[in-house]
Each structure stands twice: as structure tokens, then as C-alpha cells.
Amino acid sequence: MEGQRSSAAEMRLVGGRLCLDFVNTVDGRKLDSSPLGDKLDNYSDLVAWSQHAGIVTAAEAARLIKEGKQKPSAANAVWRRAITLREALHRIFKAMMMEKAPRSIDLETLNDELLKARKNERLISTDQGFRWEWIGGETALDRMLWSITQSAAEFLSAGDFSRLRECGGEECGWLFEDTSRNRSRQWCHMQDCGNLAKVRRFRTRLQSSSKD
Ligand SMILES: [Zn+2]
């Protein structure tokens, strides 16, 4: 598989937050089909996406891939945790959009990950003051989950859910934070779902006018 580029490393990052981009590593959620159009098929995909999303550097990614190959079952366990976390986050965000309470089992998944992440967080003194830093993460296979979990916790504790949207595309289901001034963003990306919707509307108009 080496040298083959993961589709997770090429996807658009349009969620506006790390945790939303992570949830968007599935295509066509609205189709409800099984299996999902999942971009994270294994641990390598998770690392490739993490580099693409800017939470691990190229050097760190190379180290994690190497470490993952030496410990395949540990790497696989991290990948499974990532998918469980992602699906829990998706259900929590959808619940927030519908102004419903999240399922407690999903919140438990998030809190379990938060506990694991925070164990690796330290307050570091610098010339400019203090800052939070992840420690000992160079070869920790699950280090990307720390940043994703932190992003989700920040969003859930301080975010504005009235700006959380699901793409209007027929099949898409990607989530994003609408930061437009007049809160009018409809699409994950205009060139993808926006144009597709325009083409569909145009075809429907053509069909109905040809019937006249
Ligand atoms: Zn879309």
C-alpha cells in the first residue's frame, strides 16, 4: 500500500473546525447506505488525514506510520477508537442541531477520549507566558485523537450551535459551521454540492417545460 495516496488526504476541509472536518471523513451520510463512503479505512488513512488536517507534521506522520507497522494490533485499536469517536460525535452534533439531548453513551465515548487526551496535556512556561502543550506524543499512536477530542470539547462547551449546519446536498451530509455574516451558507462547497443542486434544478425545469 506504500506510495498509494489516501483519499482522506485529498478531501476538502470545509467544516470550519477540526472536529467537524473529522466527522466529514464519511461521504453520502444522507444515503444511509452500508457501508458508508468512509475515507478512513485503516490506521494509515487516519494518519494521512491527520497530516492533511494539520494536526501532525509530515515527520510525525512518517513516525506514526512506522510505529503502527511495528504494532499493527495497537494501531488497529486506535483506528477503531477513532471511528467510534467519529460516529459518536456525528450523533452528538446532529442532536445539537435538532436541539435534542445527546445519547449518554455517545457522551461517555467523548469523555473517555477526553480523559485519555488530558493525561498528555501540560502547561508550559514560555517567554510569552504559558501555553498548553501535548507531551510525549511523538510516537503515541493515538495522538491525533487528542486534538480532535479537544476540538470537539471546545465546540460543545463554547460553540454556537445555531451556526451548525448540514450541507443541503441531496446525499452529502457533511457538517459545517456557518460563519457567514447573514448565516446563509447552504453547501459544504459550492463547486461540489452547490453546483450539483443547480444542475438538478435545471434538469427538473427542463423536464417540466418539455412536458408543456
Ligand atoms: Zn455537501
Side-chain angles (χ1 to χ4, degrees):
M1 290 295 276
E2 219 157 24
Q4 199 176 328
R5 214 166 142 70
S6 165
S7 68
E10 286 164 355
M11 63 175 277
R12 291 189 199 275
L13 302 171
V14 296
R17 279 183 191 258
L18 179 67
C19 57
L20 296 176
D21 285 326
F22 182 58
V23 162
N24 291 345
T25 52
V26 174
D27 282 333
R29 276 195 192 273
K30 282 189 191 165
L31 285 176
D32 237 359
S33 62
S34 182
L36 298 166
D38 201 325
K39 294 181 190 299
L40 304 181
D41 272 336
N42 48 49
Y43 183 72
S44 299
D45 284 340
L46 179 62
V47 173
W49 180 84
S50 302
Q51 188 189 340
H52 179 54
I55 49 175
V56 305
T57 64
E60 286 164 347
R63 259 200 307 268
L64 289 174
I65 294 283
K66 196 174 154 205
E67 190 77 8
K69 284 199 173 129
Q70 281 162 3
K71 300 175 186 162
S73 64
N76 199 45
V78 170
W79 168 71
R80 281 182 192 284
R81 264 170 61 199
I83 301 300
T84 303
L85 173 66
R86 184 189 67 189
E87 295 313 299
L89 288 178
H90 183 250
R91 285 189 294 268
I92 293 172
F93 295 152
K94 288 281 282 188
M96 294 299 100
M97 284 169 66
M98 292 186 281
E99 295 178 19
K100 283 186 185 163
R103 295 194 328 180
S104 53
I105 189 171
D106 291 333
L107 209 51
E108 218 170 280
T109 298
L110 175 56
N111 273 320
D112 282 350
E113 288 300 335
L114 202 54
L115 199 64
K116 291 188 180 96
R118 289 210 160 146
K119 259 195 252 173
N120 303 288
E121 219 176 11
R122 294 290 181 280
L123 205 52
I124 307 286
S125 170
T126 70
D127 293 343
Q128 285 86 39
F130 288 91
R131 92 165 172 258
W132 289 108
E133 224 171 63
W134 300 119
I135 55 135
E138 289 78 14
T139 52
L141 290 170
D142 63 346
R143 54 167 304 156
M144 71 291 281
L145 301 187
W146 308 344
S147 306
I148 295 163
T149 304
Q150 185 190 44
S151 163
E154 270 172 19
F155 185 38
L156 289 169
S157 60
D160 177 0
F161 300 125
S162 70
R163 290 190 179 272
L164 182 58
R165 306 257 188 283
E166 185 175 62
C167 173
E170 222 164 280
E171 300 164 359
C172 181
W174 277 20
L175 302 183
F176 58 86
E177 197 174 18
D178 178 8
T179 51
S180 66
R181 197 177 297 177
N182 53 1
R183 297 172 179 247
S184 60
R185 182 173 159 197
Q186 286 184 65
W187 316 109
C188 62
H189 197 274
M190 193 60 209
Q191 274 167 20
D192 299 337
C193 291
N195 280 348
L196 212 64
K198 251 198 280 181
V199 170
R200 283 215 174 95
R201 274 201 303 273
F202 180 67
R203 280 209 195 114
T204 314
R205 256 204 321 269
L206 270 188
Q207 274 161 8
S208 58
S209 64
S210 68
K211 280 179 205 146
D212 294 340

